[in-house]
Amino acid sequence: MRVLRQKAARWGRALSLAICAFVAVAYAAAPAFAEQVIERIRVEGNQRIEASTVRSYMPFKEGSEYDVAAVDSSVKTLFATGLFADVVIRRDGNSLVVTVTENPIINRVAFEGNNAVKDEDLNNEVQLKPRTIYTRAKVQGDVQRIVDLLRRSGRFSARVEPKVIQLPQNRIDLVFEIDEGPVTGIGAINFIGNEAFSDGKLREVISTSESAWWKFLSSSDSYDPDRLTFDRELLRRHYLSEGYADFRVISAVADLARDGSEFFITFTVEEGEQYQFGPSTVTTELEKLDQERLESLVLTEEGDTYDAGLIDESVDALTFAAGSEGYAFAEVRPRVRRDKENLIANVEYEITEGPRVYVERININGNVRTLDKVVRREMRMAEGDAFNRVLLDKSEKSIRALGFFSSVDVVEEPGSAEDKTVINVNVEEQSTGELSLGFGFSSVDNAVADIALSERNFMGRGQFLRLRLSLSGTRSSVDLRFTEPYFLDRNLVAGIDIFGTETDLRDEASFDSRVTGFGFRFGFPTSENGSITTRYALRREEIRNVRTVNIAGINVPLVDPRSDIKSLVGYNYYLDRRDDPVEPTAGWDFNIDQEYAGVGGSVTYLRNEILARAYIPFSKEFLGSLRFNGGYIDGLGDDVIINDRFFIGGSEFRGFERAGVGPRDLVTGDSLGAQAYAIGTAQLTFPNFLPEALDIDTSLFTDVGTVGLVDQEALYLAQGRRPEDELALRATAGLSVYWQSPFGPVRIDLSQVLQSESYDREEVFRFSAGTRF
């Protein structure tokens, strides 16, 4: 046994020495194995991507030494390209094998189940497009973008699921299956902490509204986080305008119902105390400014309820006044000192010269269709010019006057240096194409209608193009008009007109009129607010299908059938001093038009027309307006033929039919037209207590005027007719309702005639409507 134990021990020691020797050899051989040279790099699994492209992403080449760290880096780099769904790198002897699985190429992107959001809007939102590489990360990102888009439209229960359809050659169709869900409405809006104003009053202040069946055309009753932030600002402005200088919104919380159908919004506010204005002072060291004039511009009068809006308006008025006197860089700093014990706010307006600032850059934002140059040419400043707040205000009004944008906000922000500023022109485009329809109904069952197709921003270049087709029972016309507002890239207006009209006046004046021709227009500005447009037209006018009357057994035409060539020159002068060209609330404008016929042709006359309007704000809710328009045509020694006279009525003189007021043949009932008219209108727009979301305006009006004077009375009497021509006063009054509907403007006029002549033809109801695109 002892011998066996000794032999076993010797064998164990020998085995241990052998194992140690093997480990030592292997350890010594490992560096040599790791440092083995890569003789070949083989790429497998690639279909579209070249092997050389795969190798280019790897940090080593054939002939390089094998490095585990470099292999790991290669795998990460190849994944980062987004070209591959899987990458495996392994050794095969002295070769390195790179096995890749390519991401598929998208053949088509489709959307299913969407009704509230158009495919075009979804395509603009997602990043994955046809012929791009599909990755799961990009798909998840696009799913979230679609969900966010649907939530912005008020659909917070929307779900989106991407589906992949495999196609040959490693291509796929990507389909987003969308479950829009219902619009998440507003169940209730509550306020906490309000004592001065009721919940109902504050609901009228904010833009968000509670859901109701009649708000199907409005989006204000759907939850929008951005709108909620805006509502906080609206509440702040409201309270500051009512004297609550310490007001603040503590929180605005939107809670979603358990079933996800509606939100419950709660505003928590702290009103504070109501202040009154104390004495207001204006201080300045600028020599040219008149102290008394500056003080007269201040709207914050002692004893009035504190209103932060009046402070802002005073600052604007003082800034504008300083700019008008040549202080382009004037700054007005209002300093409000509150006496919390007596609840009085004293305001001091300090006017200083301010540092010189220059325009570094002008950015046009929000214009998708309208070219930048259309907006830039309305700016009164350019890059590099000295900044001028007065010119900035005029620029904003000019852009609004284009009528291409539903909102225009011109703001400034600091530039790259202290003496530089950046002007951002933020616009929101609106429909400029218009398809207008109109018809009227009179007390004698007279119906009129027409249709017009126009585009005020043709091809986004600011050009005006109109094709008007009148297809009513009384009028058929084609009118093609084109206007270039910046001819030769200068502030010049040029245009061309081609027209043809057939008017059935047999019910009103016993004849038909046909007019065909063409004309040219050219205009230029005369001042900041005025312009002149000159024109020339060549027209052929025919009086046809004349009714006859039997006199002593002979049929005598009631009107002389004739065909005339008219060669016309004229001009139009317009001066606009309104505070806003789109929705004026103050100021006035004036238009005069003169036309001379007789530069050749067979007809001679001088036509004069004038239009003047003034706007008078009585309060924020009540706006008054005055309007006067009149005209006179002189035959210059000849009789004025009937189709050159004025046929007044309809929308021109509410309460009367078209051609329903003025000289008339009592035998035939025909309107004879007038050589002169003068009509004055007074109108008062007032609150109608309808929800603001409906966007309906109501106004009371009265039209007062006279229409008369007619040539050829002797001829009419010789024909046995009884022309009646009294330059008597006519007066009407009524109610006008204007609705800016989602389909276009709608107007209804209800009129009552207060003073008329027995031969005038009255109209109680007139309706017109249109649609825009």
Side-chain angles (χ1 to χ4, degrees):
M1 291 294 295
R2 182 182 297 172
V3 174
L4 291 174
R5 283 196 296 272
Q6 291 175 348
K7 289 182 177 179
R10 286 196 297 271
W11 281 106
R13 286 194 294 272
L15 182 60
S16 298
L17 290 173
I19 292 173
C20 291
F22 177 78
V23 171
V25 171
Y27 182 78
F33 182 77
E35 295 173 1
Q36 186 173 353
V37 174
I38 300 172
E39 296 181 357
R40 184 183 177 192
I41 299 176
R42 190 168 71 250
V43 179
E44 297 178 350
N46 57 311
Q47 300 179 28
R48 302 182 314 274
I49 302 170
E50 297 291 338
S52 59
T53 303
V54 177
R55 297 189 190 101
S56 67
Y57 288 109
M58 304 174 67
F60 46 77
K61 309 297 180 183
E62 294 178 352
S64 301
E65 295 181 351
Y66 181 84
D67 185 356
V68 175
V71 170
D72 182 66
S73 175
S74 299
V75 172
K76 293 178 179 179
T77 302
L78 289 170
F79 268 117
T81 63
L83 300 173
F84 308 104
D86 191 20
V87 178
V88 177
I89 300 179
R90 60 182 177 84
R91 286 180 57 89
D92 183 9
N94 293 331
S95 297
L96 194 66
V97 181
V98 182
T99 304
V100 297
T101 302
E102 295 179 353
N103 277 323
I105 292 292
I106 297 176
N107 176 65
R108 183 173 63 97
V109 178
F111 306 94
E112 294 181 356
N114 56 302
N115 294 312
V117 182
K118 298 179 180 178
D119 285 2
E120 180 182 356
D121 296 330
L122 292 171
N123 276 317
N124 293 334
E125 195 73 18
V126 299
Q127 290 186 346
L128 288 173
K129 308 291 183 183
R131 296 182 298 278
T132 61
I133 296 173
Y134 169 91
T135 67
R136 293 182 179 179
K138 290 182 179 180
V139 168
Q140 294 305 317
D142 283 346
V143 167
Q144 188 59 45
R145 291 183 184 90
I146 296 173
V147 170
D148 291 342
L149 180 63
L150 292 169
R151 287 184 174 179
R152 289 199 296 271
S153 65
R155 301 175 184 274
F156 279 79
S157 59
R159 297 192 305 273
V160 180
E161 184 176 354
K163 297 289 186 180
V164 174
I165 302 175
Q166 299 291 341
L167 300 175
Q169 299 178 353
N170 200 24
R171 296 178 302 120
I172 64 167
D173 283 345
L174 178 60
V175 180
F176 291 98
E177 294 184 353
I178 301 173
D179 180 8
E180 293 179 335
V183 174
T184 309
I186 306 297
I189 302 176
N190 301 308
F191 297 87
I192 298 175
N194 56 308
E195 297 180 358
F197 301 98
S198 66
D199 286 12
K201 175 59 179 177
L202 295 182
R203 290 190 192 103
E204 295 178 0
V205 171
I206 61 178
S207 60
T208 304
S209 61
E210 296 178 350
S211 299
W213 66 268
W214 47 267
K215 297 180 180 178
F216 62 95
L217 294 176
S218 172
S219 61
S220 63
D221 60 340
S222 60
Y223 173 68
D224 186 343
D226 295 333
R227 187 187 294 125
L228 200 63
T229 301
F230 180 57
D231 288 339
R232 296 170 66 111
E233 177 62 18
L234 291 177
L235 287 172
R236 188 187 72 84
R237 293 179 186 176
H238 171 70
Y239 271 92
L240 290 180
S241 67
E242 297 294 337
Y244 295 88
D246 298 326
F247 171 82
R248 64 192 184 100
V249 179
I250 298 175
S251 65
V253 180
D255 296 316
L256 184 62
R258 291 184 177 180
D259 60 359
S261 60
E262 57 186 3
F263 278 94
F264 296 91
I265 299 176
T266 304
F267 292 93
T268 303
V269 301
E270 183 179 314
E271 292 180 330
E273 299 292 337
Q274 190 179 43
Y275 286 74
Q276 289 184 331
F277 280 120
S280 298
T281 58
V282 180
T283 60
T284 181
E285 296 180 356
L286 304 180
E287 298 179 355
K288 295 182 180 180
L289 299 183
D290 184 355
Q291 184 72 26
E292 293 184 2
R293 180 172 180 269
L294 294 177
E295 292 176 354
S296 68
L297 297 175
V298 174
L299 303 177
T300 52
E301 299 183 3
E302 185 175 1
D304 290 350
T305 302
Y306 176 86
D307 185 347
L310 293 179
I311 297 178
D312 293 337
E313 292 179 19
S314 299
V315 169
D316 291 341
L318 292 172
T319 303
F320 191 87
S324 301
E325 294 296 332
Y327 296 102
F329 306 99
E331 293 184 356
V332 180
R333 295 188 179 91
R335 304 183 187 276
V336 181
R337 296 180 176 86
R338 301 176 193 169
D339 183 350
K340 295 188 176 182
E341 293 184 1
N342 299 314
L343 300 179
I344 292 177
N346 301 317
V347 185
E348 178 186 359
Y349 300 93
E350 182 182 0
I351 306 177
T352 59
E353 174 66 23
R356 288 186 172 271
V357 179
Y358 298 90
V359 178
E360 178 181 10
R361 189 171 66 256
I362 299 176
N363 299 321
I364 313 297
N365 306 314
N367 57 315
V368 177
R369 180 168 173 267
T370 306
L371 301 181
D372 274 12
K373 72 174 185 178
V374 174
V375 181
R376 288 183 180 275
R377 65 196 185 193
E378 302 300 326
M379 296 293 296
R380 299 298 187 264
M381 293 178 290
E383 282 89 347
D385 289 351
F387 177 78
N388 188 315
R389 195 172 300 278
V390 176
L391 295 180
L392 188 69
D393 180 68
K394 291 182 178 180
S395 299
E396 181 171 352
K397 289 183 178 180
S398 295
I399 297 172
R400 284 176 53 82
L402 293 173
F404 304 158
F405 310 107
S406 59
S407 67
V408 178
D409 186 21
V410 181
V411 296
E412 56 172 311
E413 63 180 28
S416 59
E418 293 184 358
D419 63 342
K420 294 181 179 180
T421 186
V422 175
I423 298 176
N424 290 312
V425 182
N426 302 313
V427 300
E428 183 177 342
E429 292 185 323
Q430 66 179 1
S431 299
T432 54
E434 183 171 318
L435 174 63
S436 62
L437 306 169
F439 73 88
F441 175 79
S442 73
S443 56
V444 292
D445 298 329
N446 180 37
V448 295
D450 73 345
I451 178 173
L453 183 68
S454 63
E455 172 56 67
R456 293 179 288 111
N457 188 15
F458 184 63
M459 301 292 289
R461 299 177 179 273
Q463 300 165 338
F464 177 83
L465 179 65
R466 184 181 74 181
L467 175 61
R468 182 172 183 175
L469 304 174
S470 179
L471 305 175
S472 69
T474 58
R475 183 181 177 90
S476 300
S477 68
V478 178
D479 181 5
L480 179 63
R481 172 172 295 193
F482 176 78
T483 303
E484 169 56 66
Y486 267 76
F487 184 59
L488 300 178
D489 288 329
R490 298 190 177 185
N491 195 10
L492 302 173
V493 177
I496 184 171
D497 306 321
I498 302 174
F499 46 85
T501 303
E502 288 196 14
T503 306
D504 183 355
L505 293 171
R506 282 177 294 179
D507 290 339
E508 295 89 354
S510 297
F511 70 94
D512 288 344
S513 172
R514 173 182 288 179
V515 179
T516 56
F518 66 91
F520 304 97
R521 288 171 283 114
F522 182 79
F524 53 90
T526 58
S527 64
E528 181 69 26
N529 305 105
S531 64
I532 284 183
T533 301
T534 61
R535 64 182 182 271
Y536 171 79
L538 184 64
R539 304 165 57 169
R540 180 183 180 185
E541 298 190 4
E542 299 176 75
I543 295 179
R544 315 166 60 243
N545 300 330
V546 178
R547 286 172 50 195
T548 60
V549 61
N550 189 283
I551 299 177
I554 302 175
N555 290 328
V556 178
L558 295 176
V559 181
D560 182 20
R562 57 190 298 164
S563 177
D564 296 298
I565 299 295
K566 294 182 180 179
S567 180
L568 312 168
V569 294
Y571 75 93
N572 177 279
Y573 174 70
Y574 181 61
L575 181 61
D576 187 357
R577 302 301 297 270
R578 297 174 296 173
D579 64 335
D580 189 279
V582 180
E583 297 179 354
T585 58
W588 54 273
D589 63 346
F590 173 82
N591 185 84
I592 184 170
D593 188 280
Q594 285 191 311
E595 182 178 79
Y596 172 70
V599 187
S602 56
V603 176
T604 302
Y605 65 73
L606 179 63
R607 181 193 298 265
N608 310 274
E609 290 189 88
I610 187 173
L611 169 66
R613 295 176 294 189
Y615 301 87
I616 308 168
F618 297 109
S619 67
K620 293 182 179 179
E621 292 82 14
F622 292 87
L623 173 64
S625 64
L626 299 174
R627 171 190 172 108
F628 173 80
N629 60 311
Y632 177 74
I633 182 170
D634 187 348
L636 300 178
D638 295 332
D639 288 338
V640 178
I641 60 179
I642 189 169
N643 57 332
D644 289 331
R645 301 172 195 159
F646 301 108
F647 290 87
I648 303 299
S651 59
E652 298 166 324
F653 204 145
R654 288 168 289 189
F656 296 100
E657 295 180 23
R658 186 186 70 147
V661 59
R664 186 172 301 280
D665 180 0
L666 297 187
V667 173
T668 63
D670 291 344
S671 172
L672 302 177
Q675 290 178 239
Y677 72 94
I679 303 171
T681 298
Q683 185 163 299
L684 177 66
T685 301
F686 61 91
N688 50 34
F689 306 107
L690 294 173
E692 292 185 6
L694 295 179
D695 199 11
I696 296 178
D697 293 330
T698 52
S699 58
L700 296 173
F701 69 86
T702 179
D703 291 345
V704 179
T706 183
V707 182
L709 297 184
V710 62
D711 286 335
Q712 301 177 325
E713 286 194 29
L715 173 63
Y716 296 139
L717 292 172
Q719 295 174 343
R721 302 163 68 182
R722 291 175 53 198
E724 192 68 30
D725 177 22
E726 294 290 340
L727 268 174
L729 189 70
R730 277 87 162 179
T732 65
L735 173 69
S736 181
V737 180
Y738 180 78
W739 177 31
Q740 186 60 49
S741 75
F743 315 106
V746 175
R747 180 178 294 278
I748 297 174
D749 294 319
L750 299 173
S751 308
Q752 175 64 48
V753 175
L754 305 177
Q755 179 71 34
S756 66
E757 293 299 305
S758 59
Y759 52 84
D760 293 333
R761 294 188 176 180
E762 302 177 4
E763 181 178 76
V764 176
F765 171 76
R766 174 163 285 267
F767 170 86
S768 63
T771 184
R772 295 180 177 176
F773 61 92

